[in-house]
């Protein structure tokens, strides 16, 4: 851009061609030409007149064979450190002539040809081993995108890290930067400038502090209490907030995933109602937009439509599990409604004695929690279920469940209720379950 604008402003230079010889630069130019609207205001204003990256005085040079060295010209070639490639080939051709000039436009590593000619030796060694006189002028103009010390220090001041590792640059410059940072920040951070393959050991504090805010902070927790909420990181501070209060303390909002599945269903809706009653132990009949609906597990809505049912629920781990059970039941009824109907009739007309029911309870709990977690004591008439150090005791005489964990208590109680509804005949007194 600088050269093209300068050439445009100086007509006497229009006969001097400018080339850029880099396949990577050509690809970058295609990106710049395409995404001009992402540039600064000056470039965007200029695009209304013409695309600034479609140059008038600069063209691409694919290889040295296309270059006709018959007069003055400017060639921007890579690699920038003159180790090989087109830039090395042109330099070796032009360096013996005092009328030529080379401009080093970026950082040069020690040991490269570009670094060596900056000290202006009398001659250089070509890539083939020949000694060539260095008579052209050599100029260094930095176009480096790297930050200087002030920018680096400001970045560190904003980031506030505990450790800094310098990994790129000359050894002497890295040591200077390391010393300057240590002087400025003293004991506030550790600065390392390791050599290649040198081990660096850093010590980090294992625990982090989080501040409880909002309704969760209304009651001071005691030792051992579990605080449940959303951990939010803002900068380098952590907060625990209730999901319902996310919008008050962050730019986030709590979302709800409403899930819906439609299944073909031609069996009687009353049969599905009866089977859901056996599955869930309770079914609520509701109406939605004039359609018959059944609500089970207080969260799964089954909507009757023509030759199909629609199952809706609010996504969560528990609700997804309930929805899978309802989906499976619907598919089973649709696959063989007569068999399901006969099975339901048999469950009503065939009595199950109490010992059989106890065995079924034991087998159900084993299926739910695993054989290692269930202890069956038929003589003492109780079953013990142990899950993650939480113990539940089922009294096989009254079918009462004793458990400190409310979730486990509810899960076992609901399972026994559903099993009782499925197996107990209508003429047998109902067993009270609390």
């Amino acid at each position: 851009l600088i050269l093209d604008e300068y050439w445009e402003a100086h007509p006497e230079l229009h006969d001097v061609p400018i080339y850029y010889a880099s396949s990577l630069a050509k690809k970058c130019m295609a990106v710049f030409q395409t995404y001009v609207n992402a540039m600064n205001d000056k470039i965007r204003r200029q695009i209304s007149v013409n695309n600034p990256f479609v140059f008038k005085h600069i063209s691409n040079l694919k290889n040295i064979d296309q270059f006709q060295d018959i007069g003055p010209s400017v060639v921007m070639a890579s690699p920038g450190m003159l180790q090989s490639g087109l830039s090395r080939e042109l330099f070796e051709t032009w360096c013996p002539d005092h009328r030529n000039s080379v401009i080093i436009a970026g950082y040069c590593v020690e040991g490269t040809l570009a670094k060596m000619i900056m000290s202006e030796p009398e001659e250089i060694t070509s890539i083939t081993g020949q000694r060539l006189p260095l008579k052209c002028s050599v100029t260094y103009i930095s176009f480096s995108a790297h930050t200087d010390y002030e920018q680096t220090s400001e970045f560190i001041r904003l980031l506030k890290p505990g450790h800094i590792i310098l990994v790129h640059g000359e050894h002497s410059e890295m040591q200077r930067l390391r010393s300057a940072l240590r002087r400025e920040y003293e004991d506030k951070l550790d600065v390392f400038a390791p050599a290649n393959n040198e081990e660096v050991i850093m010590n980090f504090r294992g625990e982090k502090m989080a501040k409880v805010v909002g309704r969760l902070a209304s009651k001071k927790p005691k030792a051992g209490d579990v605080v449940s909420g959303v951990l939010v990181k803002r900068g380098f501070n952590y907060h625990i907030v209730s999901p319902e209060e996310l919008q008050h303390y962050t730019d986030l909002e709590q979302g709800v995933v409403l899930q819906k599945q439609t299944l073909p269903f031609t069996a009687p809706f009353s049969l599905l109602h009866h089977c859901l009653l056996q599955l869930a132990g309770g079914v609520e009949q509701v109406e939605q937009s004039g359609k018959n609906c059944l609500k089970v597990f207080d969260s799964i809505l089954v909507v009757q439509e023509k030759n199909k049912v629609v199952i809706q629920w609010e996504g969560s781990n528990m609700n997804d599990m309930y929805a899978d059970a309802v989906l499976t039941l619907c598919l089973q009824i649709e696959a063989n409604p007569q068999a399901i109907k006969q099975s339901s009739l048999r469950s009503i007309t065939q009595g199950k004695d109490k010992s059989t029911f106890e065995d079924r309870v034991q087998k159900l709990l084993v299926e739910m929690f695993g054989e290692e977690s269930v202890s069956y004591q038929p003589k003492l008439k109780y079953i013990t279920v142990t899950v993650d150090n939480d113990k539940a005791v089922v009294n096989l005489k009254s079918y009462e469940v004793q458990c400190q964990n409310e979730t486990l208590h509810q899960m076992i109680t609901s399972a026994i209720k559903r099993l009782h509804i499925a197996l107990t005949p209508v003429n047998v007194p109902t067993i009270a379950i609390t």
Side-chain angles (χ1 to χ4, degrees), residues 142-305:
S142 177
F143 282 87
S144 174
H146 293 184
T147 61
D148 58 15
Y149 176 79
E150 291 299 326
Q151 293 170 316
T152 301
S153 180
E154 178 64 20
F155 179 69
I156 293 172
R157 192 176 298 111
L158 293 173
L159 197 60
K160 299 178 182 178
H163 309 273
I164 295 177
I165 304 178
L166 306 178
V167 297
H168 179 70
E170 295 180 10
H171 178 73
S172 58
E173 296 298 322
M174 289 174 65
Q175 294 300 325
R176 286 179 56 199
L177 178 58
R178 178 189 183 187
S179 300
L181 291 174
R182 282 183 168 178
R183 284 194 304 270
E184 180 174 351
Y185 294 97
E186 297 180 349
D187 298 329
K188 295 180 181 179
L189 71 154
D190 295 327
V191 185
F192 303 91
N196 290 343
N197 299 320
E198 180 181 343
E199 184 183 40
V200 175
I201 299 177
M202 294 177 289
N203 297 316
F204 295 92
R205 190 173 64 184
E207 34 179 66
K208 295 184 180 294
M209 302 296 292
K211 185 178 180 180
V212 180
V213 296
R215 70 176 65 170
L216 294 178
S218 60
K219 182 180 179 181
K220 185 178 180 180
K222 300 177 182 178
D225 287 353
V226 176
V227 178
S228 178
V230 179
L231 182 64
V232 178
K233 181 180 180 182
R234 304 186 68 176
F236 294 94
N237 299 316
Y238 293 87
H239 298 88
I240 299 177
V241 301
S242 170
E244 294 79 13
E245 296 181 305
L246 270 177
Q247 66 272 20
H248 300 312
Y249 297 95
T250 70
D251 296 331
L252 304 175
E253 292 185 2
Q254 184 181 15
V256 176
V257 179
L258 296 176
Q259 303 198 56
K260 178 188 293 186
Q261 286 207 20
T262 302
L263 301 175
F265 192 84
T266 56
F269 198 63
S270 58
L271 177 58
L272 177 59
H273 185 180
H274 174 72
C275 293
L276 287 174
L277 187 63
Q278 293 185 346
L279 173 69
V283 177
E284 180 184 356
Q285 290 182 289
V286 297
E287 188 172 313
Q288 186 183 78
S289 301
K291 299 177 182 178
N292 293 328
C293 305
L294 302 174
K295 191 172 185 180
V296 293
F297 302 112
D298 294 325
S299 56
I300 312 299
L301 189 66
V302 182
V303 183
Q304 180 186 18
E305 296 189 2

